Amino acid sequence: LDLIDLRFDAYGLEKDLVKMFFPLHYFSTIEQQAKNNHVDPFLLTSLIKQESAFEAQAISRADAKGLMQLIYPTAKKVSQDIGIKNFTEDQLLMPEINITLGSKYFSDQIASYGGKVPYALAAYNAGPHRVNTWIERWGDLPMKQFIELIPFQETRSYVKLIFRNYYFYHLLEKGRSPQNTEKLGL
Protein backbone atom coordinates (compact mmCIF):
# COMPACT_ATOMS: atom_id res chain seq x y z
CA LEU A 1 0.00 0.00 0.00
CA ASP A 2 1.24 3.45 -0.84
CA LEU A 3 0.54 4.78 2.62
CA ILE A 4 3.71 6.70 3.46
CA ASP A 5 7.13 7.62 2.21
CA LEU A 6 9.30 5.04 3.96
CA ARG A 7 12.45 7.13 4.15
CA PHE A 8 12.89 8.55 7.66
CA ASP A 9 14.91 11.46 6.32
CA ALA A 10 11.95 12.49 4.18
CA TYR A 11 10.30 13.54 7.44
CA GLY A 12 13.41 14.62 9.32
CA LEU A 13 12.92 11.71 11.73
CA GLU A 14 15.63 9.95 13.66
CA LYS A 15 15.48 6.16 13.57
CA ASP A 16 15.77 5.91 17.38
CA LEU A 17 12.78 8.21 17.79
CA VAL A 18 10.71 6.15 15.37
CA LYS A 19 11.69 2.95 17.25
CA MET A 20 10.04 4.40 20.35
CA PHE A 21 6.73 4.35 18.48
CA PHE A 22 7.31 0.89 17.00
CA PRO A 23 8.69 -1.24 19.83
CA LEU A 24 9.42 -4.97 19.67
CA HIS A 25 8.10 -6.05 23.06
CA TYR A 26 7.59 -9.80 23.50
CA PHE A 27 9.34 -10.38 20.18
CA SER A 28 10.89 -13.75 21.06
CA THR A 29 7.42 -15.12 21.85
CA ILE A 30 5.93 -13.46 18.77
CA GLU A 31 8.70 -14.86 16.59
CA GLN A 32 8.20 -18.40 17.95
CA GLN A 33 4.43 -18.32 17.51
CA ALA A 34 4.78 -16.77 14.07
CA LYS A 35 7.02 -19.67 13.10
CA ASN A 36 4.63 -22.22 14.65
CA ASN A 37 1.67 -20.74 12.78
CA HIS A 38 3.38 -19.77 9.51
CA VAL A 39 2.73 -16.04 9.93
CA ASP A 40 5.17 -13.21 9.34
CA PRO A 41 6.45 -12.08 12.78
CA PHE A 42 6.35 -8.42 11.76
CA LEU A 43 2.70 -8.85 10.76
CA LEU A 44 1.89 -10.29 14.20
CA THR A 45 3.87 -7.51 15.86
CA SER A 46 1.95 -4.96 13.79
CA LEU A 47 -1.37 -6.48 14.79
CA ILE A 48 -0.42 -6.47 18.49
CA LYS A 49 0.73 -2.86 18.27
CA GLN A 50 -2.64 -1.89 16.84
CA GLU A 51 -4.74 -4.05 19.16
CA SER A 52 -3.15 -3.23 22.53
CA ALA A 53 -0.04 -1.07 22.02
CA PHE A 54 1.75 -3.93 23.81
CA GLU A 55 -0.28 -3.47 27.00
CA ALA A 56 -0.59 -7.03 28.32
CA GLN A 57 -3.37 -6.08 30.74
CA ALA A 58 -5.50 -4.27 28.15
CA ILE A 59 -9.25 -4.89 28.34
CA SER A 60 -11.59 -3.37 25.76
CA ARG A 61 -15.17 -2.17 26.13
CA ALA A 62 -16.15 -5.42 24.38
CA ASP A 63 -14.22 -7.38 27.05
CA ALA A 64 -11.44 -8.41 24.64
CA LYS A 65 -8.32 -9.03 26.66
CA GLY A 66 -4.57 -8.99 26.48
CA LEU A 67 -2.02 -8.19 23.83
CA MET A 68 -4.04 -9.57 20.93
CA GLN A 69 -7.41 -8.50 22.38
CA LEU A 70 -9.14 -11.87 22.35
CA ILE A 71 -12.65 -12.43 23.63
CA TYR A 72 -13.01 -15.42 25.92
CA PRO A 73 -15.31 -17.60 23.74
CA THR A 74 -12.90 -17.34 20.80
CA ALA A 75 -9.86 -17.96 23.00
CA LYS A 76 -11.56 -20.92 24.69
CA LYS A 77 -12.26 -22.55 21.32
CA VAL A 78 -8.69 -21.99 20.11
CA SER A 79 -7.30 -23.32 23.40
CA GLN A 80 -9.31 -26.52 22.92
CA ASP A 81 -8.16 -26.80 19.30
CA ILE A 82 -4.49 -26.67 20.31
CA GLY A 83 -4.87 -28.82 23.41
CA ILE A 84 -4.54 -26.34 26.30
CA LYS A 85 -6.27 -27.99 29.25
CA ASN A 86 -8.19 -26.08 31.93
CA PHE A 87 -7.96 -22.75 30.13
CA THR A 88 -9.36 -19.82 32.10
CA GLU A 89 -10.29 -16.29 31.11
CA ASP A 90 -7.61 -14.87 33.43
CA GLN A 91 -4.96 -16.53 31.27
CA LEU A 92 -5.79 -14.09 28.46
CA LEU A 93 -3.77 -11.50 30.39
CA MET A 94 -0.67 -13.72 30.29
CA PRO A 95 1.42 -12.56 27.30
CA GLU A 96 2.70 -15.96 26.18
CA ILE A 97 -0.73 -17.58 26.27
CA ASN A 98 -2.43 -14.61 24.63
CA ILE A 99 0.13 -14.53 21.81
CA THR A 100 -0.11 -18.31 21.40
CA LEU A 101 -3.90 -18.22 21.07
CA GLY A 102 -4.06 -15.01 19.06
CA SER A 103 -1.41 -16.17 16.61
CA LYS A 104 -3.24 -19.42 15.99
CA TYR A 105 -6.57 -17.63 15.56
CA PHE A 106 -5.07 -15.08 13.16
CA SER A 107 -3.30 -17.83 11.20
CA ASP A 108 -6.62 -19.68 10.89
CA GLN A 109 -8.26 -16.48 9.61
CA ILE A 110 -5.54 -16.05 6.99
CA ALA A 111 -5.99 -19.66 5.88
CA SER A 112 -9.77 -19.33 5.72
CA TYR A 113 -9.38 -16.37 3.34
CA GLY A 114 -6.93 -18.14 1.06
CA GLY A 115 -3.91 -16.20 2.32
CA LYS A 116 -5.47 -12.78 1.73
CA VAL A 117 -4.23 -10.92 4.79
CA PRO A 118 -6.46 -7.82 4.38
CA TYR A 119 -9.55 -10.04 4.63
CA ALA A 120 -8.10 -11.78 7.71
CA LEU A 121 -7.29 -8.44 9.36
CA ALA A 122 -10.76 -7.09 8.65
CA ALA A 123 -12.26 -10.30 10.07
CA TYR A 124 -10.06 -10.04 13.16
CA ASN A 125 -11.52 -6.58 13.76
CA ALA A 126 -15.11 -6.73 12.51
CA GLY A 127 -15.83 -10.46 12.52
CA PRO A 128 -15.77 -13.03 9.72
CA HIS A 129 -19.53 -12.84 9.02
CA ARG A 130 -19.24 -9.15 8.10
CA VAL A 131 -16.15 -9.70 5.96
CA ASN A 132 -17.86 -12.56 4.13
CA THR A 133 -20.70 -10.17 3.25
CA TRP A 134 -18.22 -7.57 1.99
CA ILE A 135 -16.41 -10.21 -0.09
CA GLU A 136 -19.74 -11.17 -1.69
CA ARG A 137 -20.23 -7.53 -2.67
CA TRP A 138 -16.69 -6.43 -3.58
CA GLY A 139 -14.48 -9.53 -3.55
CA ASP A 140 -13.60 -9.35 -7.23
CA LEU A 141 -12.19 -5.83 -6.94
CA PRO A 142 -8.47 -5.18 -6.48
CA MET A 143 -7.55 -5.43 -2.80
CA LYS A 144 -6.77 -1.72 -2.41
CA GLN A 145 -10.25 -0.87 -3.66
CA PHE A 146 -11.80 -3.50 -1.41
CA ILE A 147 -10.09 -1.96 1.61
CA GLU A 148 -11.39 1.50 0.67
CA LEU A 149 -14.94 0.11 0.44
CA ILE A 150 -14.98 -1.42 3.92
CA PRO A 151 -18.08 0.29 5.32
CA PHE A 152 -16.80 0.56 8.91
CA GLN A 153 -14.35 3.43 9.28
CA GLU A 154 -12.78 1.70 12.31
CA THR A 155 -12.09 -1.49 10.36
CA ARG A 156 -10.89 0.33 7.24
CA SER A 157 -8.45 2.38 9.34
CA TYR A 158 -7.45 -0.70 11.34
CA VAL A 159 -6.37 -2.59 8.22
CA LYS A 160 -4.44 0.40 6.88
CA LEU A 161 -2.74 1.10 10.21
CA ILE A 162 -1.58 -2.48 10.57
CA PHE A 163 0.00 -2.27 7.12
CA ARG A 164 1.58 1.05 8.11
CA ASN A 165 2.98 -0.64 11.22
CA TYR A 166 4.19 -3.54 9.11
CA TYR A 167 6.07 -1.24 6.74
CA PHE A 168 7.71 0.63 9.61
CA TYR A 169 8.79 -2.59 11.34
CA HIS A 170 10.36 -3.80 8.11
CA LEU A 171 12.11 -0.52 7.57
CA LEU A 172 13.39 -0.36 11.15
CA GLU A 173 14.48 -3.97 11.47
CA LYS A 174 15.50 -4.89 7.92
CA GLY A 175 16.48 -1.48 6.59
CA ARG A 176 14.07 -1.69 3.66
CA SER A 177 10.38 -1.80 2.88
CA PRO A 178 8.74 -5.23 2.67
CA GLN A 179 9.36 -7.19 -0.50
CA ASN A 180 6.77 -9.35 -2.26
CA THR A 181 3.65 -7.82 -0.75
CA GLU A 182 1.69 -10.11 -3.05
CA LYS A 183 2.07 -12.79 -0.36
CA LEU A 184 -0.05 -10.53 1.86
CA GLY A 185 -2.80 -10.52 -0.71
CA LEU A 186 -2.10 -6.94 -1.80
Side-chain angles (χ1 to χ4, degrees), residues 59-169:
I59 301 175
S60 75
R61 292 185 309 267
D63 207 30
K65 294 183 177 171
L67 293 167
M68 296 189 72
Q69 291 290 281
L70 298 168
I71 59 172
Y72 181 67
T74 299
K76 179 76 171 167
K77 182 185 179 325
V78 175
S79 73
Q80 292 168 342
D81 292 347
I82 64 175
I84 295 177
K85 305 254 189 247
N86 304 315
F87 176 72
T88 65
E89 190 168 6
D90 291 340
Q91 290 176 297
L92 282 173
L93 299 177
M94 300 169 76
E96 285 195 19
I97 291 179
N98 191 281
I99 293 169
T100 298
L101 297 174
S103 298
K104 173 65 173 145
Y105 177 71
F106 183 53
S107 172
D108 290 349
Q109 291 299 307
I110 293 170
S112 74
Y113 290 108
K116 293 185 177 175
V117 173
Y119 293 163
L121 289 171
Y124 199 97
N125 181 262
H129 58 287
R130 288 186 180 111
V131 173
N132 294 341
T133 299
W134 302 338
I135 291 170
E136 285 178 24
R137 290 182 194 159
W138 308 299
D140 35 343
L141 293 175
M143 193 57 71
K144 289 178 185 178
Q145 286 180 331
F146 176 87
I147 292 168
E148 291 302 327
L149 289 171
I150 293 173
F152 296 170
Q153 173 62 40
E154 175 189 336
T155 303
R156 188 170 53 252
S157 293
Y158 174 86
V159 171
K160 289 178 179 182
L161 288 168
I162 289 175
F163 283 121
R164 177 219 47 199
N165 298 347
Y166 182 72
Y167 276 68
F168 267 110
Y169 279 116

